[in-house]
Amino acid sequence: DVKVTQSSRYLVKRTGEKVFLECVQDMDHENMFWYRQDPGLGLRLIYFSYDVKMKEKGDIPEGYSVSREKKERFSLILESASTNQTSMYLCASSLLSGEGGELFFGEGSRLTVL
Amino acid sequence: AQSVTQPDIHITVSEGASLELRCNYSYGATPYLFWYVQSPGQGLQLLLKYFSGDTLVQGIKGFEAEFKRSQSSFNLRKPSVHWSDAAEYFCAVVPTSGTYKYIFGTGTRLKVLA
């Protein structure tokens, strides 16, 4: 069964802290994505990666960075967390690129920044 | 600009009633089209997708959707709703021009009355 695992379901951090959100997929997918989900705004793409060490900015990359050192792992980093980064973060992966392949999602990481 | 519109933020139906969730997109050509469902506290799961061919597509859990090119719509339907269908539903499109960028609607939250 396909699996995208996000290491932390719930996190509480303080303003200014560095935050790591980890995502691992076991499907050998080329593409991995980080989305942010907020009520009334749907899902907004932060970053995506189409290969190891490759990344591209999405719609809202400001305040975030990513790392993909291994194919199965894609990390989202908040260098200095702020309260406006309180949100649900969803990781996804897909096999097909540029062909509308299905996205497989993790269960999400709900981050609260105090 | 490409966009996806889900005009209904909330919908309430009685168990056993029929359901239709609306989705309209704005794009120059026919994109790939998807419906995802998100149960409370979970990630998103694919219900169905349209790439080409028959404009009525069947999905999991008894859902179907019809692509109407003339209306730029991809509405989701179910003839008889079950209490377990209570969730949030997202329409998404991916342009066919070789991009990774999925565009999501803002979601429709479905409530089912017993």
Side-chain angles (χ1 to χ4, degrees):
Chain A
D1 205 11
V2 297
K3 193 89 173 160
V4 176
T5 303
Q6 295 182 232
S7 57
S8 304
R9 292 293 305 276
Y10 301 94
L11 303 94
V12 180
K13 299 293 182 180
R14 296 214 173 268
T15 301
E17 280 192 78
K18 190 169 186 176
V19 182
F20 292 88
L21 299 180
E22 305 285 342
C23 176
V24 177
Q25 52 98 359
D26 65 358
M27 296 165 283
D28 201 34
H29 283 174
E30 303 293 332
N31 309 305
M32 296 189 74
F33 306 78
W34 274 106
Y35 287 91
R36 172 175 172 162
Q37 183 181 14
D38 299 288
L41 297 178
L43 277 70
R44 294 179 292 168
L45 181 63
I46 305 172
Y47 268 97
F48 67 93
S49 169
Y50 50 90
D51 200 353
V52 174
K53 298 189 187 291
M54 306 302 289
K55 60 186 179 184
E56 286 200 23
K57 294 179 180 179
D59 296 318
I60 53 165
E62 296 78 19
Y64 304 95
S65 62
V66 290
S67 172
R68 192 163 181 205
E69 297 295 321
K70 293 184 178 182
K71 189 176 185 180
E72 67 271 17
R73 187 180 298 271
F74 192 35
S75 302
L76 181 69
I77 303 156
L78 288 67
E79 294 289 341
S80 179
S82 63
T83 55
N84 63 14
Q85 292 178 309
T86 292
S87 187
M88 170 71 89
Y89 291 89
L90 293 169
C91 176
S93 71
S94 75
L95 177 61
L96 300 177
S97 59
E99 298 173 357
E102 174 186 352
L103 288 174
F104 293 87
F105 284 87
E107 292 187 322
S109 298
R110 185 166 293 283
L111 172 66
T112 300
V113 183
L114 303 176
Chain B
Q2 300 152 7
S3 64
V4 175
T5 301
Q6 294 181 247
D8 303 304
I9 299 173
H10 297 278
I11 283 185
T12 301
V13 300
S14 298
E15 192 170 19
S18 63
L19 173 70
E20 182 169 30
L21 303 182
R22 295 181 290 165
C23 173
N24 292 93
Y25 65 90
S26 173
Y27 181 60
T30 299
Y32 301 121
L33 298 154
F34 303 81
W35 275 99
Y36 287 85
V37 60
Q38 184 179 34
S39 298
Q42 302 297 314
L44 279 70
Q45 179 186 18
L46 180 70
L47 281 176
L48 48 77
K49 59 188 176 186
Y50 173 79
F51 284 3
S52 64
D54 193 346
T55 56
L56 184 64
V57 294
Q58 303 297 321
I60 63 171
K61 305 185 182 189
F63 285 91
E64 66 178 25
E66 185 173 13
F67 167 60
K68 292 186 177 180
R69 186 190 308 273
S70 61
Q71 299 176 18
S72 297
S73 68
F74 189 55
N75 294 347
L76 182 71
R77 300 195 294 247
K78 187 169 185 179
S80 178
V81 170
H82 187 262
W83 64 265
S84 61
D85 293 325
E88 190 156 22
Y89 292 80
F90 292 92
C91 181
V93 304
V94 176
T96 55
S97 57
T99 176
Y100 304 92
K101 193 171 180 181
Y102 297 75
I103 303 165
F104 284 85
T106 52
T108 298
R109 186 169 297 277
L110 174 66
K111 182 176 179 180
V112 180
L113 301 176

